[in-house]
Structures are given as structure tokens and as C-alpha cells.
Amino acid sequence: MPGRWDWLKEELSGISMLTKLPTMTKFLKGKISGPDDMTKCSMCPNMCRHACPISIVDGKETTSPAGKSRVGMMIENEVLSLDRENLLPIHMCLSCGCCEIWCPFDFSVSDILRPVKTRAVEHNIVYEEFVELFDDLRENGTIYEEIEDQGDLPDDGDVLYLRGCEYREGDSEVIDRTMSVLKKVGTDPFVIYDEKCCGIPAYNTGNIGLFEDLIEDMAEKIRGSGADRVVTSCPSCAYAYKELYPEFDQNIDAEISHIVEFLEGKKLKFAPNKNTDRFTFHEPCKLVNGLGKKESMQDLLDRTGLELEKPRRNGDETFCCGSGGTTVSRLNEELSSEVARERLSELKSLSDEIITSCPTCKRTFEDNDEEVKVHDIAEIVDGLL
Amino acid sequence: MKKKDEGKVDKVIDKLSESFEDNRLSTKKTDLLSYSHDYWPISLHWMLEDKFPSIPNAVVWPEDKEEVKEVVRWCYKGRVPLYPYGGGSGVLGATVPEKGGIIIDLKRMRSLQVDDQDLLVEADSGLNGYYLEDSLNEEGYTMGNIPQSLYPSTVGGWVGTKATGQFSTKYGGIEEMLKGIEVVVPPGKILNFKPHPRTSTGPDLRKLFVGAEGTMGIMTKGWFKIWPYPERRIKLSYASERLEDAVESVRKVMRRGAEPAVVRIYDEMETKRHFYDHEDIYGKIATVIIIEGDEKIAEVEREIVEEEFIGEYKGEGPVDHWLETRFNVKEASEFVPMGVVFDTIEVAVNWSNAEELYERVIESIKPIKGVLFASAHASHFYPQGICFYFTFAGTPPRKKDAESFYQQVWSEAMKAVIGSGGTISHHHGVGRQRKDWLEDELGGGLKMLKDIKEKIDKRDIMNPGNLGL
């Protein structure tokens, strides 16, 4: 079988060594070490533009995926100075990973640009909106001002349910329904009352120092709970615990799952569907692209027997709700809402009843449209089990 | 830009800022540098070298035709250059703002509407190509325009460059798909040429804007013909001993009226490059064919191909390989930053001169000092002829900079094309890279084109310098 580069070797065989050596060296360098990832991304004609929610909605070269890398490259090359105005396009990223699906190098623009964001934070070049966030994370351990846990939830059991900042702050109903689901599948769920942020907002904004402090604290709490099984409502939290914590040397022995992943392999006996409503669904980007669960949510919903309308953008072509990645919703609220409205218009053309499995997506849709009813998947599952 | 002209631009920007909010009119450095280039290798090279010789003064993002009209009106009034911008994936510098001025990016105009009975889609010019095709597919249609730039490009860009896609042998180029067009022309007037199945009402003014690359006006909307999504897709591939055998086979297929959607014939080197893991094809001439559409018609077309093809049938594997890799543009990212000069040149020629053109272009590029390889595949076919898509790579020899080396290759290739009776561009357009050869191509027609341009755009604000106009 011929090798990948045999054609080139054959082509070069007729050329004198003196002529071919410089080119061969450059070719080899390109293949072996190559340019850095940011440069490679900058040289692409935006072959993931169609998948990037920001790029589709904002319509600007500057905030397109390769466009952001080009700005990053210009900052690194000192064509642009490292300041708030020049950093702004780089922060117009929802960290949804939709670009990665289409990239021949498997790049995530969010990952490529994180070092630039981190350098900015290290030089104390941060936005007021970030200062507020960092203060809340540092002082209260959440993205909100101090959260007072409501209700009477058990603090001992066999499955640790991490509710996440979003539901702890505003949606005790989903918390109760998730606890109910966990009980119905035969587990004994419990919570920790001093639950803190998973750290991902600090990671997204480039504050790696703060991220490391947060994850050290939270990892210790999870380890201290003694649970060997952890379930989250938020796919970003699950992604952080499963993927980012080990990368930053915070290993948790417990098996961690988002609720959709947790229910994936379970035998679930759903009651016959008496609901005549038609539903549509929105798969969160961190579940699909971050945790790699491309079909899990659809599979689970299919098992419920509900009447479902599949959106055009589904599976690994899902579209962000507009609030992913921490930075866009804080620095450009209007753009974040535009992305939400783009997704909502697609979903609403199918149904006003939307099922999702992410607290941020749920809150974002509810904030942007009073007509729609947004359900967490746990509410749906609980109602039918 | 001269100081006097900068004053004029500033005044126009001030006027526009009265109607465009901050986030849709920018003079920020990040935006200006982001629009200083497109995907023309020369402009990418500038960016890698941290050189920015063509920077606009402002960028504006309109959301409807009235806003486009306002931008054209103020630019015309202030004599400020205006450059329409779509996906920025053009490879010939058509959007490079060489004289400063204002970039008008249409990507915030992106609605679409399907008319099932008339088999038409009405699409705004800023609509993303993939978004359009995927939405159509979802509803059971295809437009069939699948360029390699499907993901980043826009509908307006397709019309502006007179683009064509990988499936054009069946579905045609964008000029055949376009049935109606809405444009804004200087000094700020909206023209609407409604879609009709055919019209005999004087010269076809719609076509004045197809391939005009933003020099005549700005397309705001188009109506395009669409097809029911093909119910059948047949994949065929062949290995031939000689390039002439494969070319002659396709000529006969086309002559009999069959229209496969995709036909691609790779010369020996490109066969080795693209199909290195298909041992039984390596070193031969690979042809991949896709026939699609109505079940019965597709079967008849398959029979015609099978009857005519000179070569050994190789099954669906090579076609699947092509389908999987057809959007891969990795090489530019890997090699261009390392100093490798790399580009493609697509041209068309009638069957009678096809062989001569292929050989002359390859022979004109290969001997140039620094060139590592030159190869081609044939990618689009007509009853009258063929499009050859050449690829070259190399590194400039000592004492020669990358840009001169690049231009030397282009120059030799263009001369060979013209000398062989071909046309200098099949679907990438002209831009700023090919403009010097346009006179050889059009002869006295170039003067006529300039006169038309002058009549429409007396103050020469619409993409000045592009196409050499």
C-alpha cells in the first residue's frame, strides 16, 4: 500500500537536491511541527463558520471562528495591543465546541484562545463584569451573590446530586424532580449544603488561578462526601468534574454523570403517554460536544413515548442557547439574546413546549421568551416514571 | 488614502452613525484589520507577515435593503469607495479594500423563503451557504450549489463571483440557478428583477450583476431555482490508463445528454495524492461520478456512463472517500505559514483544446524554479467542454520573494491558458489577481464593460479597482 506522501517523493525524485531541499524542509516542518494552532486556525477560510452560533448571528468576520484566532494572532504578534477593546472579539465565544466538529484539526477555538485570555487576566486586563464575577466566585463560591439553600434535602445517601449554581439559585422545582427521579431508579440521593461553583466560569474567562482555587475546594467537598456516584443537572458542571479537574490534577474517584448520562443505561419503565402536547427539544452543547453524548438525550426522549418534533439543528449540530461560555452574556447581552432568539425561533416553529437538560439553557430561553414553556428533562422523566 | 479623502470618509461615517448603532458600524482596529483581506493567498501572506497595505476606514453591517441603500447613497455622495463583503472565502482578492473606504458586510441579511409550487427559494444575500442548503434539505429540496466553500460562503458571494459547485454538471452554475435578483446600485437605487421561468425583455440585466464582484451594485436578495431532494444517488468510480481515456469517456456521456451531478477526473499525480490508500487506483487516472435525481432517470444515466466509460470499474469506495474529504482545506493551514507557496487555478476549455490546455499549463508551471509540483483534476463538465482545476506548490528560489514567485507561476499559467484557447477563469472569478489578463480574454469587451460600469457608477465607488475596472 502506498504511503501518504509517496506521491510527493516520486514527484521530487526528478528534481535536483539543491532545488528541492528548501521546499522539502518546509513541507516536513509543516507536517511534523507545523505552525502553532492559532496560526493554523487563522489560515482557514472559516470552514466551521456555519456551525458557530455567534458567527451566524453576529455576521462579523471579527467574531467568526477563524476571525477570532486572527485577532488572537495579531495580539500575540503585537500588531494589536493586549487591551480590553482588542480582546472583546476573542470573548465573543460561547465555548460550545460547535467549531470542533467541523475542524480537520479538531480545534476548539475556545481552547485555542484561552491562553490569550489568561495572559490578559495575569496582566489584570479584565472587564468590570468579570471583576464582579470573580468577586462572587471568590467570596461566595457561586456565580451569584450568596445562595441560601432552600428545602429539606437529605445530606446522606449513596448518590451525590450536585445541583449547580443555576438551579440552587432559582429552580428548586427541578431539584425536587431530579431527586425524585433518582429515587425512582432505586438510588438514595443526597446533596451537600455547602456546594460551590464547579469553577467553569473562571476557566471560560481565563482566570486559571481562581479556577484552580475553586476546583481544589470543590474536589475536596466531593471526595469528602464519600459518594462513589455523582449526578449533576448541569452538563457544564459534569464536563468540568470529568474532563477539566483531572487535567488540573484534581482527581475524583467517584463516577460522575450528567443526569442524561446517568439514565442512559438504566431500565426505565415509563407510563403510557397520555400527554397530547407536542414537544421539541434542545440539546445543550456541553452535553453533546463537551461530554460527547451526541444522541443520548434524543434516545432518552424517544423512550418516553412523547410526541417529539426534532429541530433541524440537533445532535452534534446543535446550536447554543446564547449563554454558554460565560463571557458573551456578560459582555454583550444583546448578542447573547440574539443567539437565544435565533434558536428559539427554530424551536418555536415546532412547539412552544421545549425540553432541555441544562439549567443555563432553560433560564436563557425563559428569559428571552415568555410564551415558551421550558422543561428540564428530569421534570419530564419524573412525570412519566 | 490622501488626507483630503480621509476627511470625506469621516463625513460619510458620521452620517452613517446617525442611523447605524455602534455594533453595526465600526472603526475599531480589530474590525478594520479583520476586513483587510479575504482568502486570496497574497492577502493571507500579508497577514502572516504582519503587513496590512489595504485597510478600510470603517465596516458597516446593514440588516435590510433600505440600509444598504443608505450606505450606497452616502458613499456615492461623498465619493467614498464601498466594498461588498460576504463570506470572505474568495481566493482572488475581490474584497480587498485597496483604496480604503467602507466595507459593507451583508451577513446580517439572511432570511430565506421556499416556494414549493414554483420550485424557487428567495434568499437574502448574506445567507450562509450551508445554512441555505441544509434548510432546503430538511424541507425536501436541494439547490445543488455545493462549492468547496459551502460552509463559509454566502449566497451574495456566489452570485458576485459567478460561482459554481461540485454538483454543477447536473445543477448548473449559480448563473443558471438565479432567476431573479434585487440589487442596490449607485447613487442609491433599489432595482428588482422578479423571477420568471424565462423572459424575453431585452438584454438580461440580471446577468449584469452575476460575476460583477461588487463593481456594479450590491445584491440584497436573489431568487434561485431548487429541485426536489434526489430520491436516488448512484456512486461510480473508474481507473483509466490514460487521462485522455477518461476525458473522452465523459465527453461521450455528456454528448448523449446524460448529466451526472458530480464528475471528477484526477490526473496521475492527483490520483496518487487523493487516493494513496486505494492501491488498485494508485498510479492510474481516477474518476469519481455521482448520478442523482429521479430514480428512473438516474438509472438511465448510469447505463450511459457504464456503456461509455473507458476504464476499470472501482465501486463506491473512491466516491465515498471523495465525499468524506471534499471540504478538507488543511494544507493551506499546515504549509503556507511555513513559507510554502500554494494555490489553485481553475480554467475552462472546449473539448477540442482540452488536452492541449492541460499539457501546456502543466508544462508552463513545472519548469519554474522553485516549483515543486503542478497537477490537475477536471471538475466540471459541459456538452461543449471541461473545467481543469490546477494546483501548484513550491518555494521561492533565493533572491525571489514569495509574491513575485507566485505571480510568475500565475503569469505563465495564464499565458498557457490563453494560448490554448481556454478561458482564464471558470468559477473563482477575476478579483484583483486576474484583472491584468482580462483584456486578453475580453478584447474590446473590456472597454464596453468599463463603459457600462461608468454609466452605472460614475463616481467609481463600487469596489474600485476590482476586475481592473
Side-chain angles (χ1 to χ4, degrees):
Chain A
M1 177 82 73
R4 172 77 181 90
W5 297 102
D6 282 1
W7 64 272
L8 188 58
K9 284 183 211 156
E10 287 169 29
E11 197 63 20
L12 292 174
S13 62
I15 301 176
S16 81
M17 188 50 94
L18 208 62
T19 310
K20 69 189 175 191
L21 198 63
T23 314
M24 276 176 66
T25 313
K26 285 172 184 174
F27 254 89
L28 285 173
K29 265 189 180 172
K31 211 62 218 170
I32 297 163
S33 57
D36 60 82
D37 293 354
M38 203 186 287
T39 306
K40 278 186 189 167
C41 182
S42 300
M43 287 294 108
C44 172
N46 260 317
M47 294 301 276
C48 61
R49 183 206 295 278
H50 62 295
C52 170
I54 290 292
S55 196
I56 285 293
V57 170
D58 201 26
K60 297 176 179 173
E61 285 309 296
T62 324
T63 54
S64 67
K68 285 190 273 258
S69 284
R70 289 168 195 154
V71 171
M73 188 174 78
M74 288 183 225
I75 290 175
E76 295 300 275
N77 292 351
E78 298 181 356
V79 172
L80 290 168
S81 55
L82 186 73
D83 60 37
R84 287 179 194 82
E85 180 167 301
N86 294 336
L87 284 162
L88 206 53
I90 286 178
H91 282 294
M92 293 304 106
C93 174
L94 297 158
S95 301
C96 58
C98 292
C99 47
E100 201 175 336
I101 307 297
W102 300 88
C103 177
F105 298 105
D106 298 328
F107 290 157
S108 143
V109 173
S110 161
D111 288 341
I112 285 179
L113 293 169
R114 189 163 298 103
V116 184
K117 295 178 186 175
T118 302
R119 194 155 68 84
V121 173
E122 284 165 1
H123 286 78
N124 204 24
I125 302 166
V126 289
Y127 304 90
E128 270 177 41
E129 294 84 347
F130 287 5
V131 172
E132 205 177 304
L133 171 72
F134 296 159
D135 286 347
D136 282 335
L137 287 170
R138 202 174 287 114
E139 286 160 27
N140 309 319
T142 82
I143 54 171
Y144 295 107
E145 286 177 24
E146 202 167 359
I147 297 172
E148 286 202 19
D149 278 320
Q150 306 290 322
D152 185 20
L153 299 169
D155 60 1
D156 193 20
D158 59 10
V159 170
L160 171 61
Y161 169 42
L162 293 172
R163 298 157 290 169
C165 299
E166 202 69 67
Y167 281 159
R168 286 176 66 220
E169 164 72 8
D171 214 327
S172 56
E173 173 69 16
V174 179
I175 292 175
D176 291 343
R177 303 296 290 273
T178 310
M179 291 289 284
S180 170
V181 169
L182 292 172
K183 282 179 198 158
K184 284 179 181 174
V185 297
T187 71
D188 184 14
F190 73 103
V191 300
I192 44 176
Y193 275 88
D194 55 351
E195 182 181 332
K196 301 288 184 199
C197 172
C198 66
I200 212 160
Y203 182 74
N204 286 337
T205 45
N207 194 337
I208 300 302
L210 178 57
F211 175 68
E212 286 177 325
D213 292 345
L214 289 165
I215 69 170
E216 187 181 349
D217 186 25
M218 195 55 199
E220 191 49 49
K221 284 185 201 306
I222 297 171
R223 286 191 288 259
S225 76
D228 53 16
R229 196 79 217 235
V230 176
V231 175
T232 74
S233 279
C234 175
S236 291
C237 294
Y239 172 76
Y241 300 137
K242 286 174 82 163
E243 306 291 332
L244 300 180
Y245 278 39
E247 216 177 283
F248 285 81
D249 298 325
Q250 290 297 341
N251 295 303
I252 298 167
D253 291 334
E255 195 177 332
I256 297 155
S257 328
H258 176 259
I259 184 73
V260 167
E261 288 180 288
F262 183 73
L263 297 174
E264 207 173 13
K266 296 262 179 299
K267 278 190 181 165
L268 303 172
K269 204 171 173 187
F270 289 106
N273 175 35
K274 288 180 186 161
N275 199 329
T276 53
D277 294 338
R278 291 178 82 80
F279 292 83
T280 187
F281 58 89
H282 165 82
E283 295 150 290
C285 36
K286 270 287 180 283
L287 176 70
V288 172
N289 297 332
L291 296 170
K293 295 290 170 183
K294 300 189 189 307
E295 285 150 20
S296 305
M297 187 171 149
Q298 284 188 47
D299 288 346
L300 180 56
L301 286 173
D302 285 343
R303 290 164 68 192
T304 63
L306 289 175
E307 288 277 328
L308 290 167
E309 291 282 350
K310 192 194 275 195
R312 178 174 70 84
R313 291 179 278 207
N314 69 83
D316 61 7
E317 290 197 43
T318 193
F319 202 76
C320 181
C321 67
S323 293
T326 313
T327 57
V328 182
S329 56
R330 284 175 171 76
L331 298 174
N332 192 340
E333 210 176 324
E334 176 49 30
L335 180 56
S336 166
S337 285
E338 274 187 82
V339 175
R341 291 197 295 271
E342 164 84 12
R343 182 56 163 166
L344 277 165
S345 93
E346 182 186 354
L347 298 174
K348 281 179 71 181
S349 70
L350 303 169
S351 172
D352 281 348
E353 302 261 3
I354 301 166
I355 304 168
T356 188
S357 54
C358 169
T360 306
C361 300
K362 183 172 186 289
R363 194 246 314 140
T364 304
F365 291 152
E366 286 167 346
D367 287 351
N368 279 280
D369 196 314
E370 288 175 358
E371 288 170 14
V372 292
K373 189 148 192 235
V374 191
H375 310 266
D376 187 283
I377 198 161
E379 295 176 283
I380 298 290
V381 170
D382 187 44
L384 292 169
L385 269 184
Chain B
M1 185 174 270
K2 290 175 191 161
K3 239 191 165 72
K4 181 182 77 174
D5 292 333
E6 274 182 5
K8 287 193 299 192
V9 181
D10 289 345
K11 273 186 198 164
V12 170
I13 295 170
D14 281 350
K15 279 288 168 198
L16 292 175
S17 65
E18 288 171 16
S19 14
F20 286 86
E21 57 264 45
D22 281 357
N23 70 333
R24 295 198 295 116
L25 173 67
S26 174
T27 53
K28 286 179 186 170
K29 201 173 174 188
T30 44
D31 288 320
L32 303 185
L33 295 182
S34 296
Y35 285 89
S36 64
H37 59 86
D38 54 15
Y39 209 60
W40 183 24
I42 294 282
S43 68
L44 291 177
H45 182 69
W46 291 337
M47 186 167 60
L48 284 169
E49 302 263 296
D50 295 336
K51 290 177 191 158
F52 297 91
S54 301
I55 300 177
N57 297 74
V59 186
V60 64
W61 294 271
E63 289 184 341
D64 58 41
K65 63 182 173 189
E66 292 301 328
E67 288 189 343
V68 174
K69 185 176 140 181
E70 188 168 350
V71 175
V72 173
R73 191 165 67 86
W74 283 114
C75 285
Y76 196 76
K77 210 167 178 177
R79 296 174 187 269
V80 168
L82 182 61
Y83 310 85
Y85 201 101
S89 55
V91 289
L92 298 163
T95 68
V96 171
E98 64 171 302
K99 296 184 179 175
I102 294 177
I103 295 267
I104 180 166
D105 185 338
L106 284 304
K107 286 197 289 291
R108 287 180 73 88
M109 293 173 60
R110 55 190 183 90
S111 72
L112 89 159
Q113 208 173 329
V114 174
D115 183 331
D116 172 72
Q117 190 168 14
D118 295 341
L119 278 179
L120 286 172
V121 62
E122 180 184 321
D124 276 0
S125 68
L127 189 68
N128 174 271
Y130 177 84
Y131 188 107
L132 169 65
E133 182 61 21
D134 193 45
S135 302
L136 288 173
N137 294 169
E138 182 78 9
E139 291 185 42
Y141 310 96
T142 180
M143 190 163 127
N145 194 52
I146 320 286
Q148 192 179 34
S149 63
L150 180 73
Y151 301 155
S153 60
T154 64
V155 171
W158 294 349
V159 174
T161 43
K162 201 173 184 180
T164 197
Q166 296 159 344
F167 288 61
S168 75
T169 301
K170 174 181 175 66
Y171 298 104
I174 199 73
E175 72 281 10
E176 289 155 277
M177 295 170 187
L178 184 87
K179 305 303 278 184
I181 188 169
E182 181 186 82
V183 285
V184 177
V185 294
K189 194 173 176 179
I190 299 170
L191 300 178
N192 198 318
F193 302 97
K194 292 279 187 200
H196 300 292
R198 187 171 186 275
T199 173
S200 173
T201 48
D204 191 346
L205 292 173
R206 294 170 300 185
K207 297 289 165 69
L208 193 55
F209 304 94
V210 182
E213 302 183 15
T215 57
M216 302 288 176
I218 299 173
M219 170 183 152
T220 47
K221 187 195 286 188
W223 288 265
F224 303 88
K225 69 174 177 185
I226 54 174
W227 305 61
Y229 193 78
E231 62 178 19
R232 177 91 166 99
R233 177 175 271 192
I234 297 167
K235 295 180 271 190
L236 307 167
S237 75
Y238 294 90
S240 307
E241 293 302 323
R242 304 177 315 148
L243 183 63
E244 305 90 280
D245 293 342
V247 169
E248 179 62 5
S249 305
V250 179
R251 187 184 73 82
K252 286 182 175 165
V253 167
M254 300 300 297
R255 194 180 176 87
R256 287 180 63 182
E259 288 182 334
V262 175
V263 183
R264 299 174 83 84
I265 303 172
Y266 297 86
D267 71 4
E268 189 182 328
M269 203 195 115
E270 293 213 1
T271 298
K272 288 178 183 169
R273 184 150 71 95
H274 293 290
F275 301 98
Y276 62 90
D277 51 357
H278 289 74
E279 208 167 357
D280 51 344
I281 288 181
Y282 195 85
K284 299 196 170 169
I285 304 296
T287 300
V288 295
I289 296 173
I290 295 176
I291 296 166
E292 64 178 36
D294 177 87
E295 172 92 44
K296 286 181 184 167
I297 298 174
E299 283 302 335
V300 171
E301 289 183 323
R302 176 219 285 266
E303 277 176 37
I304 293 175
V305 170
E306 285 173 348
E307 281 169 18
E308 298 294 350
F309 218 93
I310 310 161
E312 200 180 329
Y313 178 64
K314 293 294 175 189
E316 295 192 350
V319 190
D320 289 332
H321 174 76
W322 175 75
L323 283 167
E324 280 159 24
T325 55
R326 66 193 162 130
F327 294 117
N328 192 343
V329 290
K330 228 173 154 179
E331 273 89 0
S333 290
E334 279 176 326
F335 302 129
V336 172
M338 310 312 290
V340 176
V341 175
F342 171 86
D343 204 6
T344 57
I345 301 173
E346 30 58 68
V347 299
V349 63
N350 292 334
W351 291 115
S352 48
N353 293 332
E355 204 180 317
E356 182 192 340
L357 182 138
Y358 169 79
E359 277 167 12
R360 278 180 73 168
V361 173
I362 296 283
E363 280 164 18
S364 71
I365 298 176
K366 271 192 170 173
I368 296 170
K369 205 171 175 193
V371 167
L372 202 61
F373 68 80
S375 61
H377 61 270
S379 52
H380 306 264
F381 296 83
Y382 308 85
Q384 290 69 36
I386 185 170
C387 160
F388 278 114
Y389 198 99
F390 294 92
T391 300
F392 71 88
T395 47
R398 232 186 258 179
K399 293 185 182 168
K400 191 155 207 163
D401 61 66
E403 212 168 311
S404 340
F405 172 67
Y406 174 83
Q407 295 298 8
Q408 188 189 357
V409 176
W410 261 89
S411 180
E412 292 304 321
M414 288 292 97
K415 277 190 249 168
V417 170
I418 292 162
S420 320
T423 174
I424 58 168
S425 177
H426 177 263
H427 60 270
H428 288 170
V430 175
R432 287 170 168 80
Q433 174 60 25
R434 275 191 172 120
K435 63 184 166 69
D436 293 342
W437 292 284
L438 202 55
E439 191 163 9
D440 290 321
E441 173 90 21
L442 300 180
L446 182 59
K447 168 79 170 60
M448 184 187 280
L449 193 59
K450 284 180 177 171
D451 289 346
I452 294 169
K453 155 87 172 163
E454 201 189 337
K455 194 72 188 165
I456 294 174
D457 179 20
K458 202 168 185 175
R459 294 182 179 175
D460 193 23
I461 63 153
M462 293 306 309
N463 205 350
N466 194 37
L467 293 166
L469 300 182

